[in-house]
Amino acid sequence: MRRISYWLRPRVTHIAFLVFLVYIFLLVGYKLLQNERLREDLAKTQRHLVFEKPNPHWDYTNSWRRIGNASLRHEIYSAYFDVRTDIIGSVRLDEEQITIGSLRIFAVLPERLRDYSVSCIVRFADFTSLEILAEEAGAMHEVHNNTFAAWSIMCPLHASRRDPLRLPQAVALTYSSNRLSHLSPTFVQISYPRNMTNLFAKSRPAISVCVGPVQDNYSNVLRLVEFVEMYRLQGASHFYFYYVQASEEVRRVLEYYQREGLADVFEWNVGAHLQDLHYAGIVAQFNDCVYRASIVDNFRYAAVVDLDEVMMPLKHNSLADYLRQCDEGRTAGFVFRNVFFHRRDSNDTFNAPAHVLNRLLYTQSKVKRTLEVLPAHVRSKVIVNARAIVEMGNHQVYRSAPGYADHVVHPTVGLLFHYRDKCINCKMVLIVDYTARRFGSLLFDRVDNTCLEVFMDRRGICELA
């Protein structure tokens, strides 16, 4: 009998361990199910709340502002009210409080900030304030060994269920290593939808374009006009420009598109960080732009590109047609893989009509590209579903909302045409590609018309840099 008991003992222990694992598995599953039901109930309850914009006169014009001690060179740019609750880690829905959304704030701070916690000071229209511990606060990707980085901070917003709903008007950041951030906080206005009825509405199935920082006293007016008109032919309806430095001629073009209602133009005054922040803070700029396109203007799509890049569909008439046919609704971003055209190659002006004033359009005169298609996320660019994005990078989506995933566009379906001034590898095999010329006749006319509107004093000539 002792032998049988001794023989059974390890098996009994093994069975007990399996029972324990099953219990843990069921407990975790139950908690996940509870959490899922809580979030579903929250979403339904949230839609029945009355959201009123606290500052209807805010014009959505941001600029970089110093946080606390000026010598530290910490800066804050913008803040957005994000109604998505599925990106918040801990939500509330009880008799006392309900989670109504979160604030997403973009700042420039040291890549290795000594503080363990960052808080948001939210200010209401009656100048009362509330301090909220940030749920997320950290440097975004693509620091590239610089001492400063673009930061993304998220503070959840909970409202009392016993009092009327109040939305904050402004927000500031505070943390212990910068004492003045608490003693003398720097507030920025919180951006809400221009039309609050769009808060839970379907996004407009239109394409906006987020353009990389215009810097180094950029002066290539013809390229700028061609860029805008090419994307308009592809279905884009709005552009967001952020300028650091630009020539007077470029400013005239930007002001023209702004007057026409086709563009928003923002000062990107990061001069203090041009040497210690990656590419003039392009990551902060692209994230600000995507949130602006989604939250403020309700655009479904945002193409995140530089002035020398054109997303080119190969089997569809335009980007708009491609998205209309291929977007099934759960794609965070469509990744277009990169090929290079070299600006210093000889110009082929065969298809330029005789009457055209501005003949040297780069998409029409540069027809040799690299045969090699670079891998996804290597100099690729993305057109995103703006409402799916949590963190955007220069070449890829780093984080999207639950349920969304990237789609890498097959190189036979679409490519990123990258028109570089200099070749990266001048020995790469080149092929002739006339794809962009299918837009030629309309593009030449549109460029000439715009140049004539802006530079009547030059008889419609857009000078090349």
Side-chain angles (χ1 to χ4, degrees):
M1 198 67 185
R2 287 182 181 176
R3 289 181 180 178
I4 294 175
S5 175
Y6 179 79
W7 181 78
L8 286 175
R9 193 178 302 153
R11 285 157 179 76
V12 171
T13 304
H14 182 64
I15 292 170
F17 180 69
L18 288 177
V19 171
F20 175 74
L21 287 180
V22 170
Y23 171 76
I24 294 297
F25 177 77
L26 292 174
L27 183 63
V28 170
Y30 176 72
K31 287 187 175 180
L32 288 175
L33 183 61
Q34 272 192 321
N35 184 57
E36 185 177 340
R37 287 177 177 172
L38 171 66
R39 291 180 183 275
E40 288 176 358
D41 292 342
L42 176 60
K44 291 176 183 177
T45 307
Q46 193 185 23
R47 289 174 178 269
H48 289 92
L49 299 175
V50 178
F51 292 86
E52 293 185 5
K53 198 186 311 187
N55 184 3
H57 305 295
W58 167 233
D59 63 1
Y60 300 95
T61 302
N62 298 90
S63 63
W64 285 104
R65 303 181 62 195
R66 288 288 168 87
I67 301 173
N69 189 341
S71 64
L72 296 176
R73 297 188 296 138
H74 300 176
E75 304 198 31
I76 184 172
Y77 187 74
S78 58
Y80 294 90
F81 173 67
D82 192 340
V83 78
R84 297 175 296 178
T85 55
D86 56 350
I87 64 171
I88 302 173
S90 179
V91 295
R92 296 284 303 273
L93 180 60
D94 51 41
E95 294 181 357
E96 296 295 328
Q97 286 192 316
I98 178 174
T99 303
I100 60 172
S102 63
L103 297 180
R104 179 69 58 172
I105 301 153
F106 298 112
V108 166
L109 299 170
E111 193 257 335
R112 295 182 179 179
L113 193 69
R114 296 192 303 271
D115 296 87
Y116 291 102
S117 63
V118 176
S119 295
C120 298
I121 304 175
V122 296
R123 188 175 68 190
F124 298 90
D126 60 2
F127 287 93
T128 58
S129 62
L130 176 69
E131 188 167 325
I132 304 169
L133 182 65
E135 185 176 292
E136 298 175 12
M140 290 188 280
H141 289 77
E142 301 183 30
V143 178
H144 295 276
N145 297 317
N146 287 285
T147 54
F148 280 82
W151 276 55
S152 176
I153 298 97
M154 188 273 282
C155 290
L157 287 179
H158 310 291
S160 170
R161 302 196 72 175
R162 301 179 184 277
D163 302 318
L165 177 61
R166 292 193 308 161
L167 293 177
Q169 185 179 73
V171 64
L173 295 177
T174 180
Y175 39 96
S176 59
S177 65
N178 187 343
R179 286 191 62 206
L180 282 179
S181 68
H182 185 79
L183 298 174
S184 181
T186 301
F187 285 96
V188 294
Q189 292 282 336
I190 298 169
S191 293
Y192 292 89
R194 293 186 196 276
N195 184 350
M196 290 295 279
T197 60
N198 291 329
L199 204 58
F200 298 101
K202 287 185 177 180
S203 54
R204 289 188 286 163
I207 302 173
S208 60
V209 181
C210 294
V211 189
V214 179
Q215 58 181 317
D216 298 328
N217 203 30
Y218 189 83
S219 59
N220 197 330
V221 176
L222 184 57
R223 172 171 283 196
L224 172 61
V225 174
E226 181 183 358
F227 171 89
V228 173
E229 299 306 328
M230 172 62 86
Y231 273 102
R232 289 182 68 193
L233 287 172
Q234 296 255 38
S237 58
H238 201 77
F239 297 80
Y240 298 97
F241 291 99
Y242 297 70
Y243 70 87
V244 181
Q245 293 173 322
S247 69
E248 180 59 33
E249 291 76 15
V250 166
R251 295 286 294 276
R252 285 173 65 179
V253 171
L254 294 179
E255 289 168 2
Y256 166 76
Y257 283 124
Q258 196 169 19
R259 288 196 304 272
E260 293 294 306
L262 292 169
D264 284 331
V265 183
F266 306 100
E267 183 183 7
W268 192 247
N269 52 322
V270 291
H273 289 291
L274 289 179
Q275 304 304 317
D276 52 26
L277 181 66
H278 175 60
Y279 201 71
I282 190 171
V283 175
Q285 184 245 311
F286 277 152
N287 278 275
D288 177 83
C289 184
V290 170
Y291 275 78
R292 188 182 298 271
S294 171
I295 292 172
V296 175
D297 294 319
N298 199 35
F299 285 112
R300 181 172 304 169
Y301 301 110
V304 180
V305 289
D306 290 322
L307 282 170
D308 58 358
E309 297 168 335
V310 177
M311 292 173 172
M312 187 63 63
L314 305 180
K315 293 188 176 180
H316 299 80
N317 292 329
S318 65
L319 280 174
D321 284 344
Y322 168 74
L323 293 168
R324 194 178 301 116
Q325 295 179 34
C326 299
D327 185 8
E328 297 180 351
R330 303 306 292 178
T331 302
F334 296 87
V335 182
F336 284 74
R337 293 167 61 184
N338 183 94
V339 292
F340 288 113
F341 290 76
H342 299 142
R343 188 182 172 201
R344 292 188 177 179
D345 284 343
S346 58
N347 293 315
D348 182 340
T349 58
F350 178 77
N351 74 323
H355 68 276
V356 168
L357 297 175
N358 299 279
R359 300 175 63 84
L360 287 180
L361 304 188
Y362 64 92
T363 62
Q364 305 303 302
S365 61
K366 305 302 179 184
V367 296
K368 292 181 181 179
R369 70 163 176 86
T370 54
L371 174 62
E372 179 188 3
V373 180
L374 294 183
H377 308 143
V378 178
R379 296 188 176 274
S380 56
K381 284 297 169 70
V382 190
I383 183 166
V384 300
N385 178 343
R387 286 197 175 180
I389 300 305
V390 178
E391 182 185 338
M392 188 68 212
N394 193 0
H395 304 291
Q396 67 186 91
V397 176
Y398 282 111
R399 183 184 165 198
S400 55
Y404 290 89
D406 282 357
H407 171 73
V408 178
V409 179
H410 194 278
T412 62
V413 177
L415 290 169
L416 178 73
F417 284 8
H418 192 163
Y419 295 86
R420 283 189 65 89
D421 293 343
K422 298 178 181 178
C423 55
I424 292 179
N425 180 359
C426 296
K427 295 183 179 180
M428 295 179 77
V429 178
L430 302 180
I431 62 171
V432 174
D433 190 331
Y434 291 121
T435 305
R437 284 192 166 178
R438 73 177 191 261
F439 297 101
S441 58
L442 287 173
L443 185 63
F444 280 115
D445 289 344
R446 281 175 174 259
V447 170
D448 270 5
N449 288 340
T450 300
C451 290
L452 194 61
E453 289 281 347
V454 180
F455 299 108
M456 183 73 75
D457 53 334
R458 298 182 181 178
R459 298 182 181 180
I461 301 296
C462 282
E463 295 288 344
L464 271 173

